[in-house]
Amino acid sequence: MGIASFWKDILFPARCARCRRIIAEGAICEKCYLGIEPYNFLRCGKCRARLPAIMEGLPKSGCHSAWPFILGAATSYKDESAQSLIKSLKFEGIRDAAQPLAELIFQFANTLPPDIFADCIIVPVPLHPARLRERGYNQSELIASLLGGRMNLPVREHILIRTKLTKPQSELRSHEERETNVEDCFATKNSEEISGRKIILLDDVITSGHTLYQAARALKAGGAGKIIALTVAMA
Ligand SMILES: [Zn+2]
Ligand SMILES: [Zn+2]
């Protein structure tokens, strides 16, 4: 251990995002992590109704089948451990939180038939370059890259871009404000990589769903095949 790392560990020891206990490494203690209960089914992207389980391929969405994505949320945003991890990664600069978050999505994906994700590419929801400079990293991209390693799927972070600097959705209260805030804020490039591909669209959390809707719509306009939006949590 170097001197710098020694002092860093003494002055700023790693703490569990949820219970604040000092931990040897990472962003959450084992007890808090194991307390998170993952879901084990996919949902309609629009109304979030549970989709029927089938053994291969994707379920044919019974309701809202024209919606551009179906949803796989790993757990509830009401889960305090998951919520603490998401906030640490997004607002406190704790990059180590990406690892347990990617693991949660991996655990969730493992409860579904593996064919669902065969041949997918993973596309993280991008940040606007100005927001990226402010935060220093894109939290969804960190999770996507770890998840890609776990699921053995390629991550393509450059095919979806954010063309408008929007206000954070969390700062907006009304449904209408959130809807218009992100309208047409995405575009695609390198369409030969999108055309006909099945895509995992990855974000940390789905709240109103407007951001994922716009991102999925842009990918569909770029020729994407089926889109499964995977998120750590659903609010
Ligand atoms: Zn803990
Ligand atoms: Zn529905």
Side-chain angles (χ1 to χ4, degrees), residues 43-49 51 61-65:
R43 298 165 185 271
C44 167
K46 183 169 167 58
C47 71
R48 303 184 189 178
L51 295 179
S61 168
C63 54
H64 304 114
S65 55

Side-chain angles (χ1 to χ4, degrees), residues 137-180:
Y137 56 87
N138 174 354
Q139 74 282 359
S140 299
E141 204 175 302
L142 292 184
I143 299 170
S145 112
L146 292 161
L147 184 68
R150 288 296 264 145
M151 294 180 83
N152 205 13
L153 292 172
V155 181
R156 296 279 176 271
E157 66 272 39
H158 298 301
I159 61 179
L160 185 64
I161 52 173
R162 201 141 183 158
T163 51
K164 281 190 205 167
L165 181 59
T166 55
K167 291 180 194 152
Q169 291 287 77
S170 55
E171 288 175 10
L172 303 173
R173 286 290 153 249
S174 85
H175 184 85
E176 289 72 25
E177 277 180 300
R178 288 179 165 208
E179 190 165 12
T180 47

Side-chain angles (χ1 to χ4, degrees), residues 39-54 59-63 70-71 108 111-112 234:
Y39 294 125
N40 57 2
F41 52 87
L42 293 169
R43 298 165 185 271
C44 167
K46 183 169 167 58
C47 71
R48 303 184 189 178
R50 180 179 184 150
L51 295 179
I54 55 159
K60 301 270 177 292
S61 168
C63 54
I70 62 171
L71 174 65
F108 163 75
T111 67
L112 304 169
M234 182 177 94

Side-chain angles (χ1 to χ4, degrees), residues 9 29 52 70 88 103 106 124 126 136 204 230:
D9 289 350
C29 75
I70 62 171
S88 314
E103 199 56 32
F106 182 66
D204 51 355
L230 287 187

Side-chain angles (χ1 to χ4, degrees), residues 16-21 23 28-33 81:
C16 171
R18 162 88 186 273
C19 71
R20 309 307 296 167
R21 202 193 318 238
I23 46 180
I28 188 165
C29 75
E30 195 177 6
K31 182 165 169 282
C32 289
Y33 180 80
S81 296

